[in-house]
Amino acid sequence: MIKVWADGTEGGLLDRSRERGSAFVYLPGATPQQAVSVTMPVRLQSWDVPFGLLPIFEMNLPEGVLRERLRLAFAKATGTFDEFDLLSIVGRSQIGRVRYTGEKERLHEDVPFQSVDEILARRRDGDLFRYLIDKFASFSGISGVQPKILVRDEQASAALNEAKPRISQSYRGATHIVKLWEANEYPQLAANEHFCLTVAQKCGLDVPPYRLAEDGAALVIDRFDLRPDGTYRGFEDFCVLNARRTDEKYRGSYETSIMKRFQDFANSPHVNEDLEKLFTLIALNCGLRNGDAHLKNFGIVYDDVLGEARLAPVYDLVTTTVYLPKDSMALTLNGITRWPSVKELRRFGETRMAGTPAKMKQILQRINEAMSQTTPEVRSYMEQHPDFAEVGERMLQEWEKGAALSLRSAS
């Protein structure tokens, strides 16, 4: 049985149910503010699923390399290895406000210290990749197939956020996300994402501080859910908001599963501003040719589970067609996953965010300009890092195709 904590307080208990499912029940006396998700208000009746975990509990489970690393390390000791086992391992260190411990354990985070500057400056070799995965795998409750870990570096966090108060000296949780890549699968993925995030920032979207290692071996990103006092904002992805499991992340449409669902939960006076940002992000994915803009790569953040919910900052933004030339959109638009034309994107914005034709044109032009402004930075990096030249050239070719079709091909 697993104890579930919300905002540092005991909220309920999670246990396996018959067959292959699980059940969660709130503790007696739990307050509405202790709800573990905006989709799961406090109630006497248990929350049950016949298979696996409820979406909020599955949300941060590692995938790919990290999951396999943990399976190999713990399967022998546990005798089995399913989502419940994985959650019990990484549950103390997660993205967002929810944490997990054993039934009789107290909550504490004690992520090992790792200098972010050392990661950024160190030249890549196989030992660095393996060292970071081995050291931080069990502290990395963060989803995604790409290898990524959570590390603690308070000094680097303070330096990146000089305008903010220093994080509490007693804080021992992770301060940064470190994203790595495997050379034989997705070469130069960190630099790819670095420049895609740069475009997003130039578009006026919210992007957490990020830095690329000198040799392109890793991308280091500040956690956007971490407050300066060491507490956490709530975060929920659109798999959770749509009551879908991680393996259903490619199921849905941008019209309903993203835009409409956001309006269902965006309890905020800034909803129109956030809808514009959400439309901008969807259109940006088309321009950059990111075919991995699925339900888990959009999210909401909030300070109070009963209060305002805002669109989460941009994350996991890459040009996927560099590696998968025939890649298409992750979700449907107008019932298909084909990359949309300018006319289709404009119509989408006009109907789903009630934008005027002039506003839609302005947004698409802004994205196109941001991509154009970033292109010289990509070329400069290619000159300084010959290993990136091939990937960088393909990125720019894909950007041109994306912009020509989706951003500027119509008057």
Side-chain angles (χ1 to χ4, degrees):
M1 188 173 292
I2 292 176
K3 185 185 293 183
V4 181
W5 304 69
D7 293 325
T9 62
E10 301 176 33
L13 294 172
L14 175 67
D15 201 2
R16 288 185 174 92
S17 59
R18 292 181 179 179
E19 301 300 328
R20 302 178 63 186
S22 60
F24 171 75
V25 61
Y26 283 104
L27 295 176
T31 66
Q33 286 76 17
Q34 289 177 286
V36 296
S37 166
V38 295
T39 67
M40 294 172 58
V42 174
R43 68 184 191 186
L44 293 176
Q45 181 185 355
S46 65
W47 293 87
D48 307 271
V49 286
F51 180 82
L53 299 171
L54 287 150
I56 188 63
F57 303 136
E58 187 188 44
M59 181 178 73
N60 286 321
L61 294 185
E63 304 166 72
V65 171
L66 199 57
R67 180 189 179 101
E68 180 62 12
R69 168 68 181 80
L70 291 166
R71 185 190 69 80
L72 292 174
F74 291 94
K76 185 176 181 180
T78 62
T80 62
F81 195 82
D82 57 14
E83 287 84 356
F84 201 90
D85 296 309
L86 186 56
L87 185 63
S88 68
I89 294 167
V90 301
R92 290 176 180 80
S93 181
Q94 299 264 307
I95 297 295
R97 59 189 273 274
V98 182
R99 296 290 182 276
Y100 310 89
T101 67
E103 183 181 3
K104 297 182 179 180
E105 295 177 337
R106 302 299 300 171
L107 178 63
H108 65 86
E109 286 187 276
D110 196 3
V111 178
F113 175 80
Q114 171 64 53
S115 169
V116 164
D117 287 336
E118 179 184 349
I119 295 174
L120 292 168
R122 186 171 174 178
R123 305 303 298 177
R124 180 180 179 131
D125 56 46
D127 289 337
L128 175 60
F129 181 91
R130 288 190 294 271
Y131 166 75
L132 292 175
I133 292 293
D134 289 346
K135 183 176 180 180
F136 294 101
S138 61
F139 300 95
S140 299
I142 180 170
S143 68
V145 175
Q146 176 187 355
K148 61 182 79 169
I149 56 175
L150 298 176
V151 303
R152 177 170 63 93
D153 185 336
E154 295 171 297
Q155 291 184 343
S157 180
L160 285 170
N161 300 278
E162 292 179 356
K164 298 179 181 179
R166 184 178 175 83
I167 291 175
S168 169
Q169 292 294 321
S170 62
Y171 177 76
R172 300 188 64 80
T175 57
H176 292 76
I177 301 166
V178 179
K179 308 182 77 169
L180 308 163
W181 49 270
E182 295 191 275
N184 61 338
E185 290 192 81
Y186 303 111
Q188 302 296 325
L189 186 62
N192 183 330
E193 182 167 0
H194 170 85
F195 290 112
C196 289
L197 291 176
T198 299
V199 177
Q201 200 167 50
K202 292 180 187 295
C203 287
L205 295 174
D206 298 322
V207 180
Y210 60 96
R211 291 186 291 177
L212 182 64
E214 291 179 9
D215 61 352
L219 185 69
V220 178
I221 305 173
D222 277 28
R223 289 180 59 163
F224 59 74
D225 64 320
L226 177 60
R227 299 190 186 101
D229 64 357
T231 59
Y232 301 97
R233 304 181 73 191
F235 167 77
E236 302 188 32
D237 66 32
F238 276 69
C239 264
V240 176
L241 301 185
N242 283 280
R244 291 183 183 154
R245 292 174 49 82
T246 293
D247 59 12
E248 297 178 297
K249 63 187 177 183
Y250 293 104
R251 178 186 155 208
S253 70
Y254 290 107
E255 294 99 330
T256 301
S257 304
I258 299 294
M259 294 292 280
K260 184 178 184 301
R261 192 64 69 239
F262 177 73
Q263 293 177 75
D264 291 340
F265 290 97
N267 179 22
S268 164
H270 307 285
V271 61
N272 291 332
E273 174 188 343
D274 282 350
L275 279 173
E276 180 177 327
K277 289 181 178 180
L278 188 51
F279 169 78
T280 301
L281 179 55
I282 293 170
L284 175 60
N285 278 294
C286 297
L288 296 176
R289 290 294 170 94
N290 175 26
D292 212 35
H294 51 64
L295 295 178
K296 292 189 70 63
N297 285 341
F298 297 87
I300 60 171
V301 290
Y302 52 84
D303 290 310
D304 181 346
V305 70
L306 303 178
E308 295 183 6
R310 301 294 305 273
L311 182 67
V314 177
Y315 60 95
D316 288 0
L317 185 65
V318 297
T319 299
T320 61
T321 48
V322 167
Y323 314 106
L324 303 168
K326 296 182 179 180
D327 206 9
S328 58
M329 291 195 297
L331 305 174
T332 63
L333 186 66
N334 296 325
I336 57 177
T337 58
R338 172 180 52 80
W339 298 110
S341 67
V342 167
K343 183 177 180 180
E344 290 168 325
L345 274 180
R346 286 184 181 178
R347 188 186 311 119
F348 169 55
E350 290 169 14
T351 56
R352 292 296 170 171
M353 62 168 276
T356 64
K359 186 64 173 179
M360 295 303 99
K361 182 178 180 180
Q362 179 188 58
I363 292 172
L364 298 185
Q365 286 179 339
R366 185 166 72 239
I367 298 171
N368 182 60
E369 291 170 1
M371 293 171 65
S372 297
Q373 292 168 4
T374 307
T375 294
E377 298 178 34
V378 176
R379 292 208 174 277
S380 175
Y381 187 82
M382 289 166 61
E383 293 177 2
Q384 299 170 27
H385 299 80
D387 290 346
F388 176 72
E390 182 180 350
V391 168
E393 190 61 47
R394 291 209 301 270
M395 279 182 64
L396 295 181
Q397 292 171 4
E398 293 300 318
W399 288 10
E400 176 57 31
K401 288 193 292 186
L405 175 65
S406 301
L407 303 179
R408 62 170 189 262
S409 64
S411 60

